[in-house]
Amino acid sequence: MNLLRGRRALELRTGRDVEAPVPRHFHEELQICLITKGAGFVRHQGTCYPTPAGTLFAVIPGEVHENVCTSEGGCSFRTIFLDPGGFEIEELAGRAGLFVTRRDHVVRGFLSGFEDLAAGEAAEWQLWHIVTSLLPSTESAPSRDRPAGIEAARERLRESHADAVSLDVLAEEAGMSKFHFVRTFTSRYGMPPHLFQIQLRVMEAKRLLRQGHEIGDVAVRLGFADQSHFTRHFKRLTAVTPALYRSAQERSRLED
């Protein structure tokens, strides 16, 4: 699947039960890959890194590597190939050429982001969430006005939670690069800006559903791409669908 989001080239690939090895090669793009089934390894600069199911790895553009499946029946995976422009790849490439993680919250974030990207939803936000959660933290010089900038960004999201707030604008207003803005915001508030905005939308959705608003109207009013997008995020955060939530609220009112 080849996609184009604004000026950023983006390609999503899904592989199922792939047995053939991929010999030494490199990409012009940043590659981020999740192994969903099977096991194997990535060889980079003479070192083999195991990649059992649940492993997420990223390869910096231009880094030579090879992929080998060691499972009978092959490996399955999901991969994002991304134009690296704007992600401070030059800075990261000086630290390492390959990043590997099995952290649950990073894997879950990748899967959620992959689904959103495949549906054409919130691409820029999701890309930054995926990249900044996977790649190692890079320290930068402290700035006395950064906390105020981050606080202002949070308030901007609160006030405009139903709008498509630009990451470029938020980072510029906070006085940071986009990479460090997402890192700092996540460190300070426990989630990246995109998910913070989604949380605000779901909180408002609960209030509107309790008032009896139609699910489709709520989805449009709060800036979701469509009703299925709204339902997926609502269920992820509340463990129930909007329809079940509204039905429960209506039964509660009748019982009262």
Side-chain angles (χ1 to χ4, degrees), residues 193-209:
H194 170 65
L195 293 187
F196 183 81
Q197 185 181 41
I198 292 293
Q199 178 76 65
L200 294 173
R201 289 179 176 181
V202 170
M203 291 169 58
E204 177 66 8
K206 291 169 69 176
R207 185 183 69 82
L208 294 173
L209 291 172

Side-chain angles (χ1 to χ4, degrees), residues 38-249:
F41 61 84
V42 177
R43 181 179 286 119
H44 173 257
Q45 296 184 352
T47 300
C48 293
Y49 298 88
T51 55
T55 300
L56 189 67
F57 65 88
V59 185
I60 294 298
E63 290 290 319
V64 176
H65 61 289
E66 62 179 303
N67 307 88
V68 177
C69 177
T70 58
S71 293
E72 184 177 352
C75 293
S76 298
F77 60 85
R78 295 182 181 181
T79 298
I80 295 175
F81 290 97
L82 173 66
D83 171 7
F87 284 104
E88 285 100 16
I89 293 300
E90 295 81 4
E91 174 185 351
L92 294 167
R95 298 166 61 90
L98 174 72
F99 305 95
V100 182
T101 184
R102 299 182 185 88
R103 289 176 290 173
D104 287 342
H105 74 282
V106 178
V107 171
R108 290 195 303 269
F110 176 88
L111 286 170
S112 176
F114 192 97
E115 292 177 2
D116 277 354
L117 291 167
E121 301 164 1
E124 185 74 2
W125 285 104
Q126 291 290 26
L127 290 173
W128 280 92
H129 179 201
I130 292 169
V131 172
T132 56
S133 64
L134 175 63
L135 301 181
S137 176
T138 54
E139 298 299 328
S140 58
S143 173
R144 287 178 296 177
D145 63 351
R146 282 192 174 178
I150 289 294
E151 178 67 23
R154 183 179 70 161
E155 291 309 307
R156 174 74 170 269
L157 289 173
R158 286 187 181 277
E159 295 170 0
S160 307
H161 59 267
D163 300 330
V165 183
S166 167
L167 181 57
D168 289 298
V169 170
L170 289 174
E172 182 178 356
E173 291 181 350
M176 305 180 190
S177 70
K178 289 188 286 188
F179 183 91
H180 289 299
F181 171 73
V182 174
R183 279 285 187 185
T184 305
F185 190 102
T186 303
S187 175
R188 190 171 183 85
Y189 299 119
M191 63 178 64
H194 170 65
L195 293 187
F196 183 81
Q197 185 181 41
I198 292 293
Q199 178 76 65
L200 294 173
R201 289 179 176 181
V202 170
M203 291 169 58
E204 177 66 8
K206 291 169 69 176
R207 185 183 69 82
L208 294 173
L209 291 172
R210 289 196 298 268
Q211 293 176 351
H213 289 269
E214 295 295 328
I215 296 171
D217 293 339
V218 172
V220 172
R221 179 170 175 174
L222 294 180
F224 289 97
D226 52 37
Q227 188 168 322
S228 63
H229 181 217
F230 167 51
T231 297
R232 181 159 61 82
H233 282 295
F234 190 95
K235 185 175 181 180
R236 178 176 61 84
L237 292 173
T238 67
V240 296
T241 65
L244 287 175
Y245 181 85
R246 196 176 72 161
S247 296
Q249 297 299 317

